[in-house]
Amino acid sequence: MVIWENNKALEQILQSELSKLTQEEGLEPERVYEGLDQGSMVVLGNPSHPHLRPLIIGQPARVKVNANLGTSPLNNCLNTEMDKVAAALAAGTDTIMDLSTAGDLDAIRQKMLEACPLPVGTVPIYAVGKSLLDSERDVAAMKADELFDEIAKQCRQGVDFITVHCGLSKRGAELALEQNRVLGIVSRGGSMLARWMVENNQENPLLADFDRLLAIVKPYNVTLSLGDGLRPGACADAGDAAQWEEVINLGQLAKYAHTRGVQCMIEGPGHMPLNLVQGQIQGIKRLTNNAPLYVLGPLVCDSTPGYDHIAGAIGGAIGVLNGVDFLCYLTPAEHLTLPDVEDVRAGVMASRVAAHAGELALGRQRALAREARMNHARKNLDWEGMAKEAVDPELLQKRRQSHKNEEVCAMCGKFCSVKMLRDIKIN
Amino acid sequence: MVIWENNKALEQILQSELSKLTQEEGLEPERVYEGLDQGSMVVLGNPSHPHLRPLIIGQPARVKVNANLGTSPLNNCLNTEMDKVAAALAAGTDTIMDLSTAGDLDAIRQKMLEACPLPVGTVPIYAVGKSLLDSERDVAAMKADELFDEIAKQCRQGVDFITVHCGLSKRGAELALEQNRVLGIVSRGGSMLARWMVENNQENPLLADFDRLLAIVKPYNVTLSLGDGLRPGACADAGDAAQWEEVINLGQLAKYAHTRGVQCMIEGPGHMPLNLVQGQIQGIKRLTNNAPLYVLGPLVCDSTPGYDHIAGAIGGAIGVLNGVDFLCYLTPAEHLTLPDVEDVRAGVMASRVAAHAGELALGRQRALAREARMNHARKNLDWEGMAKEAVDPELLQKRRQSHKNEEVCAMCGKFCSVKMLRDIKIN
């Protein structure tokens, strides 16, 4: 049975939206059906999300960009978060994730779902962790029911995709903690589950009771973003046994979920040096049967706090060239503090640069056509035309403000190489 | 005869500075002598440059970063340029280039040489072009003597390296202009020389009279940065016949100069898609006999004005992994306007991120040791220690300001994964 026959919510979305989606992507409907059938594409969209615009993720569909938003215990203001939603949308993000860990989480999530017509993702274990930490209980005291109930509530609210660390087994956690990793487990959800498993000497409920999870999310077409709780948090930790043990699990879970009518994406690393990116991405795609790969970075060095959006764009571009489908942004605030509105903008833009560079290297028609139009405008010193094609038209206009009536730019002035050779005739 | 026996100024620098330089680089003196003898390393330094700190360029020496500064006809203020010199030094640049094209060029150059103990580079043809354009003459009216005299003057002033487009032949220029390149010739010096050659139907004087150039620069140990006047200005132009014709010439010229006791670097592209970077860099290194390669970018897409420092960092990191020795920064102002002080800082930092990511991927001990210290501090939530290892300690402290007394960061707060697992014991 093909997946859309086994997932009524998905089938309805395809019936009403597929022709619009395929037109936007420049893909034939058959290509999308094939991708969905093979599990190499997903269509994000929970019918309970008001004003939702569904989204295809999975190459050769356009590579998408996600912006992580949300409160934290040290920075907790709903209005600021709503400003960040607006900034992320204006900067051209394709999805947002609400990673709030402070304040009234249900209310924040509801507000974000109302304000954002793009798919919205969450990490439900944060809400469970918050209630434990707020009451000064150990996260090991979590009941599995609390986690499943939270997931069910968020599905009803309209969340479109959720990060669930189902592949994080007790064995994987022990490998990560035993192996003298430089930085152990750096995923927040992953570290909570690892603590829970070790302290309770029990398997991860999201893995042990995976069928229960599938039954909860399927009626809402909530896509599982299978989290990488054991992703390396330092370049020196990249590619160890713990990481691959989890990737193997993620591939098996995604395949199983697909047969049960639930769409899955795979979350990927993480910190890794530049020379490992190609092999890691290709390895993960192989082990997960080419399911859509959603990466955080990859971040190609550890010592660049304040510039991790750049280090992440380096890894992200190479990642896209090797099969990454979906880039989670890193902002200049990564490893330091909660991103502010400017960080959100910078993060989305850096990820869009990486996505475009990767797609250009893949020879995607849309990327090539954009470059051709940009270069045509550049050759004609047509600044309006350049602004139209630029990744950030607003910034281009702003930087041109002081000399907007000049034909040339303020770097070269009359030394403009384009003007220098305009009237040259070769015999 | 080894090169330092054929270049007295270089020999003197080596006698007085080599032990300090090799210590800084963590290299044996023999390794540097070998690199100099083979032409795969250069030591920048003109004894006429006051308070100069010479510099080794050429892997396995640390990859260096250059900041382009200087006035332009639309942005001409000496004080601003001096502020940019200070900003570039503070951000950790290794060299600066004065690309001024407006104002009193001799005075600006002198001020920069006095203010900057790091090697200073220039593009002497700009000064000749300026006097022609200022008096509304065609650059084709340039006399070869004017160009050589300008170079001689700048050598006497103390400039340490000069961009000279010696490899740009008349044939190469015609190839570039005939081949229907999307963006023709985008190098300013290259476009001036191309115009001069086509209009006068003569060969490039820097190529035709290369021996004259060598005789001028050698007494000052001025290193030739052999310019890539035909570098692609659009990804679609990368790797065409015109570009390679010039690279072949650059390789031959560098080899010849070396036998005459003059050190050379090779300037590299330019715009090229991500998938071409490895092949281009390896090809250029091969054709230029592994001379130090100094690249502008490579810029892996065309449609990212405002974010070209990021697109350039993507190409630069992959470039370093494949043999690039020296990164010329791109700033957020590239393709738009003259960089301001903030752009200078952002450009240097982006290039330093790229250099570090590339060196880490190459397994350089210094880069690995830095990551190890950073991760040790991170594991201990030691923010002072992290600041010490960070590429930009000042920015780290600034972003931490609002919560500097917290042990954790303001992104995760009590959700800190490091704290979550601190007390966990695995059997």
Side-chain angles (χ1 to χ4, degrees):
Chain A
M1 184 159 55
V2 289
I3 191 167
W4 54 92
E5 290 173 359
N6 196 8
N7 177 333
K8 292 296 156 202
L10 173 61
E11 191 173 35
Q12 280 169 21
I13 290 172
L14 294 176
Q15 276 167 4
S16 62
E17 306 273 357
L18 187 66
S19 95
K20 193 169 147 243
L21 287 174
T22 52
Q23 210 173 336
E24 284 169 8
E25 296 281 358
L27 292 172
E28 294 297 319
E30 292 68 31
R31 184 67 193 80
V32 178
Y33 280 119
E34 185 191 36
L36 292 172
D37 186 35
Q38 294 173 346
S40 66
M41 285 184 185
V42 295
V43 172
L44 298 184
N46 177 344
S48 303
H49 180 171
H51 316 296
L52 172 76
R53 298 204 296 259
L55 188 74
I56 301 175
I57 293 181
Q59 292 201 36
R62 183 174 59 78
V63 171
K64 307 302 190 296
V65 167
N66 173 71
N68 283 342
L69 307 174
T71 58
S72 95
L74 299 181
N75 259 311
N76 175 11
C77 169
L78 177 60
N79 287 342
T80 304
E81 293 311 311
M82 299 314 289
D83 289 344
K84 292 186 203 169
V85 171
L89 293 174
T93 197
D94 294 294
T95 65
I96 65 170
M97 286 191 81
D98 173 17
L99 306 188
S100 291
T101 55
D104 181 345
L105 300 192
D106 288 337
I108 296 169
R109 195 179 312 115
Q110 196 62 46
K111 283 272 185 194
M112 286 208 189
L113 283 163
E114 285 162 13
C116 181
L118 309 177
V120 173
T122 60
V123 188
I125 199 172
Y126 289 179
V128 184
K130 175 182 184 296
S131 78
L132 292 162
L133 291 170
D134 281 356
S135 54
E136 302 200 346
R137 283 181 294 162
D138 195 303
V139 296
M142 177 181 78
K143 305 283 172 235
D145 282 350
E146 294 176 291
L147 183 52
F148 287 113
D149 290 348
E150 178 66 32
I151 292 169
K153 180 177 67 186
Q154 296 195 15
C155 290
R156 289 193 301 272
Q157 268 191 306
V159 162
D160 304 286
F161 61 106
I162 56 173
T163 293
V164 274
H165 303 89
C166 305
L168 174 49
S169 65
K170 186 159 176 292
R171 173 165 181 248
E174 287 169 355
L175 276 173
L177 297 171
E178 279 167 358
Q179 273 182 334
N180 296 318
R181 273 189 165 191
V182 171
L183 271 175
I185 299 176
V186 297
S187 152
R188 283 181 282 183
S191 67
M192 286 183 219
L193 284 167
R195 184 177 184 88
W196 190 92
M197 289 190 282
V198 171
E199 296 287 77
N200 294 301
N201 194 26
Q202 279 188 51
E203 191 51 273
N204 175 358
L206 293 169
L207 173 60
D209 218 352
F210 191 57
D211 277 311
R212 181 174 176 188
L213 175 66
L214 298 181
I216 292 170
V217 302
K218 183 167 153 181
Y220 302 92
N221 186 39
V222 169
T223 297
L224 300 184
S225 187
L226 295 171
D228 53 339
L230 301 181
R231 66 171 176 271
C235 285
D237 289 340
D240 72 353
Q243 189 196 344
W244 287 113
E245 203 275 340
E246 185 178 42
V247 173
I248 291 169
N249 296 341
L250 296 179
Q252 291 176 337
L253 292 168
K255 195 170 178 181
Y256 179 81
H258 191 261
T259 66
R260 295 297 185 276
V262 172
Q263 302 189 103
C264 292
M265 302 186 286
I266 307 294
E267 294 188 10
H271 292 243
M272 66 177 71
L274 195 53
N275 54 314
L276 296 190
V277 177
Q278 176 175 348
Q280 281 250 354
I281 298 303
Q282 293 180 352
I284 295 170
K285 291 293 280 192
R286 167 70 178 80
L287 285 167
T288 60
N289 202 25
N290 209 29
L293 181 56
Y294 175 31
V295 302
L296 185 62
L299 191 54
V300 294
C301 43
D302 307 325
S303 306
T304 54
Y307 301 90
D308 284 343
H309 59 309
I310 297 179
I314 295 170
I318 305 169
V320 168
L321 178 59
N322 287 287
V324 164
D325 304 279
F326 190 16
L327 294 174
C328 184
Y329 81 2
L330 290 165
T331 78
E334 188 71 22
H335 292 107
L336 294 176
T337 187
L338 206 65
D340 61 24
V341 167
E342 262 316 295
D343 292 320
V344 166
R345 181 175 181 80
V348 171
M349 288 296 175
S351 290
R352 288 183 58 207
V353 170
H356 178 61
E359 292 193 310
L360 185 64
L362 284 164
R364 296 277 184 254
Q365 282 309 315
R366 186 189 301 251
L368 290 168
R370 177 186 207 160
E371 300 294 76
R373 293 190 303 269
M374 170 57 94
N375 290 318
H376 182 76
R378 200 164 261 166
K379 188 171 194 167
N380 293 316
L381 300 175
D382 164 13
W383 293 93
E384 287 300 321
M386 284 184 245
K388 233 171 89 183
E389 304 306 333
V391 68
D392 188 349
E394 197 183 308
L395 180 61
L396 186 145
Q397 303 286 17
K398 192 174 138 198
R399 296 306 303 259
R400 286 272 304 165
Q401 194 57 38
S402 67
H403 51 285
K404 64 182 174 185
N405 297 322
E406 297 282 344
E407 184 185 23
V408 294
C409 82
M411 180 181 274
C412 301
K414 59 190 166 191
F415 281 74
C416 178
S417 63
V418 173
K419 290 188 79 170
M420 185 66 68
L421 295 168
R422 233 181 213 174
D423 61 340
I424 279 282
K425 291 277 173 296
I426 304 290
N427 306 330
Chain B
M1 184 160 54
V2 289
I3 191 167
W4 53 91
E5 291 175 359
N6 196 7
N7 177 332
K8 292 297 155 200
L10 173 61
E11 191 172 35
Q12 280 169 22
I13 290 171
L14 295 176
Q15 277 168 3
S16 62
E17 307 273 355
L18 188 66
S19 95
K20 194 171 146 240
L21 287 174
T22 52
Q23 209 173 336
E24 284 168 9
E25 295 282 358
L27 292 172
E28 295 297 318
E30 292 67 32
R31 184 66 193 82
V32 177
Y33 280 120
E34 185 191 37
L36 292 173
D37 186 35
Q38 294 173 344
S40 65
M41 285 184 184
V42 294
V43 173
L44 298 183
N46 177 343
S48 303
H49 180 171
H51 317 297
L52 171 76
R53 297 205 296 258
L55 189 74
I56 301 175
I57 293 181
Q59 291 201 36
R62 182 174 58 79
V63 171
K64 307 303 190 296
V65 167
N66 173 71
N68 283 343
L69 308 174
T71 59
S72 97
L74 299 181
N75 259 311
N76 176 11
C77 168
L78 177 60
N79 287 342
T80 305
E81 293 312 311
M82 299 314 290
D83 289 345
K84 292 186 203 169
V85 172
L89 293 174
T93 196
D94 295 295
T95 66
I96 65 170
M97 286 189 83
D98 173 18
L99 306 188
S100 291
T101 55
D104 180 346
L105 300 191
D106 289 338
I108 296 169
R109 194 179 312 116
Q110 195 61 47
K111 284 270 186 196
M112 287 209 188
L113 282 163
E114 285 161 14
C116 180
L118 309 176
V120 173
T122 60
V123 188
I125 199 172
Y126 288 179
V128 184
K130 175 181 185 293
S131 77
L132 291 163
L133 292 168
D134 281 356
S135 53
E136 302 202 345
R137 283 182 293 163
D138 194 303
V139 296
M142 177 181 77
K143 305 283 173 237
D145 282 351
E146 293 177 292
L147 182 51
F148 287 113
D149 290 348
E150 179 66 32
I151 292 169
K153 179 176 67 186
Q154 296 195 14
C155 290
R156 288 192 302 271
Q157 267 192 306
V159 161
D160 304 286
F161 61 106
I162 55 173
T163 294
V164 274
H165 303 89
C166 306
L168 173 50
S169 65
K170 186 158 174 292
R171 175 168 179 244
E174 287 170 356
L175 277 172
L177 296 170
E178 278 167 359
Q179 274 182 333
N180 296 318
R181 274 188 163 191
V182 171
L183 271 176
I185 299 176
V186 297
S187 152
R188 283 181 282 182
S191 67
M192 286 184 220
L193 284 168
R195 184 176 184 90
W196 190 93
M197 289 190 282
V198 172
E199 295 287 77
N200 294 301
N201 194 26
Q202 280 188 52
E203 190 51 272
N204 175 359
L206 294 169
L207 173 58
D209 218 353
F210 191 57
D211 277 310
R212 182 174 174 186
L213 175 65
L214 298 181
I216 292 170
V217 302
K218 183 168 153 181
Y220 301 92
N221 186 39
V222 169
T223 297
L224 300 183
S225 187
L226 294 171
D228 53 338
L230 300 181
R231 66 172 176 269
C235 285
D237 289 340
D240 71 353
Q243 189 195 343
W244 287 113
E245 203 276 340
E246 185 179 41
V247 173
I248 292 169
N249 296 340
L250 296 179
Q252 291 176 337
L253 292 168
K255 195 170 178 181
Y256 179 80
H258 192 262
T259 66
R260 296 297 185 276
V262 172
Q263 302 188 104
C264 292
M265 303 187 287
I266 307 294
E267 293 189 11
H271 291 241
M272 66 177 72
L274 195 53
N275 55 315
L276 296 190
V277 177
Q278 177 175 346
Q280 281 251 353
I281 298 302
Q282 293 180 352
I284 295 169
K285 290 293 279 192
R286 167 69 178 82
L287 284 167
T288 61
N289 201 26
N290 208 28
L293 181 54
Y294 175 31
V295 302
L296 185 62
L299 192 53
V300 295
C301 42
D302 307 324
S303 305
T304 53
Y307 301 90
D308 284 344
H309 60 309
I310 298 178
I314 295 170
I318 305 168
V320 168
L321 178 57
N322 287 287
V324 164
D325 304 279
F326 189 17
L327 294 174
C328 185
Y329 81 2
L330 290 165
T331 78
E334 188 71 22
H335 291 107
L336 294 175
T337 187
L338 205 66
D340 61 24
V341 167
E342 262 316 296
D343 293 321
V344 167
R345 182 175 180 79
V348 171
M349 289 296 176
S351 290
R352 288 183 58 208
V353 170
H356 178 61
E359 293 194 309
L360 185 64
L362 284 165
R364 295 278 183 254
Q365 282 308 314
R366 186 189 301 250
L368 289 168
R370 178 187 204 158
E371 300 295 73
R373 293 190 302 267
M374 169 58 91
N375 289 318
H376 182 77
R378 200 165 260 165
K379 187 170 195 168
N380 292 317
L381 299 175
D382 164 14
W383 293 93
E384 287 300 320
M386 284 184 246
K388 233 172 87 183
E389 304 306 333
V391 69
D392 188 349
E394 198 183 306
L395 179 61
L396 186 144
Q397 303 286 16
K398 192 174 139 198
R399 296 305 303 258
R400 287 273 303 165
Q401 194 57 38
S402 67
H403 51 285
K404 63 181 175 187
N405 297 323
E406 298 281 344
E407 185 185 22
V408 294
C409 82
M411 179 181 275
C412 301
K414 58 190 167 192
F415 281 74
C416 178
S417 63
V418 173
K419 290 187 80 169
M420 186 66 68
L421 295 168
R422 236 182 213 174
D423 61 339
I424 279 281
K425 291 276 175 295
I426 304 289
N427 307 331

